[in-house]
């Protein structure tokens, strides 16, 4: 009898252990997954830190970034993105002066290169090209860069320290076209505004800036062989108090969702 009791008790113990083992194995499996998840964070929305971000961005990004910012906030509840738009040279000055901001997007790589001490590694998120914007109806029949040399034209350009101003000088010099602008503006939006308001007959701007001008301006395309390509680098600022959240936003700008928004607005692939 003793032997029979012992045998039954042992069998019962083995059965209980067998029933308990899958549950323990499942717990062990889940623990392993959790540990791995925390060690190697995914890019899921829940793992992006919530923050109020301030992004300094080139003036030519004004319209598209408002759309992109709204899309990002919708996909990342709890995060607020506030943009400050200006000429890239103005933004660079703000960064050097220690303005509180988390990320920066300029309209050229030269400006960004001058901020190596204040930034992390930038990534190109988009490209753009120049066009000639002329007054409503194009009364002077401007057809190309050489027509801008006509002294009867009131031509407005961006200042040479502004990326679009530098690109403008580059392509005009390459075609040996001498232009005496009636004014030199601090950013591309100011150039376009002068033409839209009839204060200038023509100006050199980015193609994307003219897409919402309607019939206020006539756009004259510049052939690729005579044009310049503007590259837009984005970067997290070293002084950011929301480094992880800022880095997540900058990386998001290269995702298919953000790229579609940029390309729908006329920007070219990086």
């Amino acid at each position: 009898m003793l032997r029979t009791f012992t045998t039954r008790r042992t069998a019962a113990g083995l059965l209980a252990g067998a029933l308990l083992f899958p549950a323990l194995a499942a717990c062990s499996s889940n623990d392993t997954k959790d540990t791995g998840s925390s060690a190697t964070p995914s890019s899921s929305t829940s793992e992006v830190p919530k923050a109020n971000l301030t992004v300094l961005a080139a003036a030519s990004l004004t319209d598209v970034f408002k759309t992109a910012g709204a899309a990002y906030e919708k996909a990342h509840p709890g995060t607020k993105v506030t943009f400050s738009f200006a000429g890239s040279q103005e933004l660079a000055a703000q960064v050097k002066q220690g303005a509180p901001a988390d990320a920066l997007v300029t309209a050229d790589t030269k400006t960004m290169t001058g901020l190596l001490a204040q930034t992390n590694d930038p990534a190109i998120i988009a490209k753009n090209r120049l066009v000639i914007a002329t007054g409503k109806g194009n009364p002077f029949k401007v057809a190309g860069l050489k027509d801008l040399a006509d002294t009867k034209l009131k031509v407005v350009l961006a200042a040479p320290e502004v990326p679009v101003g530098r690109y403008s000088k580059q392509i005009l010099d390459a075609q040996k076209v001498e232009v005496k602008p009636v004014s030199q503006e601090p950013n591309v939006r100011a150039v376009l505004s002068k033409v839209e308001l009839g204060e200038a007959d023509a100006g050199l701007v980015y193609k994307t800036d003219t897409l919402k001008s309607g019939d206020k301006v006539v756009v004259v395309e510049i052939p690729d062989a005579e044009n310049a390509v503007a590259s837009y680098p984005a970067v997290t600022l070293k002084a950011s108090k929301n480094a992880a959240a800022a880095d997540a936003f900058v990386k998001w700008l290269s995702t298919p969702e953000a790229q579609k928004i940029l390309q729908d607005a006329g920007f070219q692939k990086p």
Side-chain angles (χ1 to χ4, degrees):
M1 291 296 291
L2 179 59
R3 181 179 300 174
T4 301
F5 176 78
T6 303
T7 301
R8 289 178 178 173
R9 185 173 58 184
T10 302
L14 290 174
L15 178 60
L19 293 173
L20 182 61
F21 180 76
L24 291 174
C27 291
S28 176
S29 175
N30 289 337
D31 288 345
T32 301
K33 289 180 181 178
D34 289 343
T35 300
S37 172
S38 61
T40 307
S42 69
S43 57
S44 67
T45 300
S46 61
E47 293 180 4
V48 176
K50 297 177 176 61
N52 292 326
L53 297 176
T54 298
V55 179
L56 307 179
S60 51
L61 294 166
T62 300
D63 295 324
V64 68
F65 263 19
K66 289 178 180 178
T67 301
Y72 188 80
E73 290 177 354
K74 183 177 180 180
H76 301 82
T79 292
K80 172 69 175 176
V81 184
T82 300
F83 295 103
S84 177
F85 299 104
S88 295
Q89 80 291 346
E90 293 181 43
L91 300 177
Q94 292 177 32
V95 171
K96 289 180 179 179
Q97 292 167 6
D102 302 292
L104 169 70
V105 188
T106 62
D108 67 334
T109 55
K110 182 176 181 180
T111 299
M112 191 67 79
T113 300
L115 297 170
L116 292 178
Q118 290 85 17
T119 65
N120 294 318
D121 295 330
I124 303 298
I125 62 161
K127 292 185 178 180
N128 212 341
R129 291 179 182 275
L130 274 65
V131 296
I132 302 170
T134 72
K136 187 174 183 178
N138 192 7
F140 288 90
K141 308 302 178 186
V142 175
L145 291 173
K146 295 187 184 301
D147 294 330
L148 298 181
D150 188 342
T151 55
K152 296 178 182 179
L153 279 178
K154 291 187 293 183
V155 179
V156 62
L157 301 174
E161 63 270 16
V162 182
V164 70
R166 189 160 53 248
Y167 294 133
S168 298
K169 184 178 187 306
Q170 175 186 325
I171 64 177
L172 290 171
D173 288 350
Q175 298 303 310
K176 295 181 171 55
V177 177
E178 185 177 353
V179 175
K180 295 181 179 179
V182 294
S183 69
Q184 293 182 316
E185 302 300 321
N187 60 66
V188 67
R189 285 307 177 95
V191 174
L192 182 61
S193 178
K194 290 278 188 180
V195 179
E196 289 179 337
L197 295 172
E199 297 176 11
D201 301 312
L204 285 170
V205 299
Y206 296 121
K207 183 175 182 177
T208 55
D209 289 294
T210 64
L211 297 183
K212 292 190 176 183
S213 294
D215 63 355
K216 294 179 182 178
V217 301
V218 171
V219 177
V220 179
E221 299 282 349
I222 302 172
D224 286 350
E226 300 176 7
N227 215 329
V229 177
S231 295
Y232 290 73
V235 72
T236 302
L237 298 175
K238 291 181 179 179
S240 170
K241 295 182 179 180
N242 305 293
D247 190 53
F249 174 76
V250 169
K251 289 180 178 177
W252 178 82
L253 291 172
S254 295
T255 65
E257 180 186 1
Q259 286 297 301
K260 184 180 187 305
I261 294 172
L262 285 161
Q263 288 158 35
D264 285 350
F267 289 86
Q268 298 177 351
K269 294 180 180 180

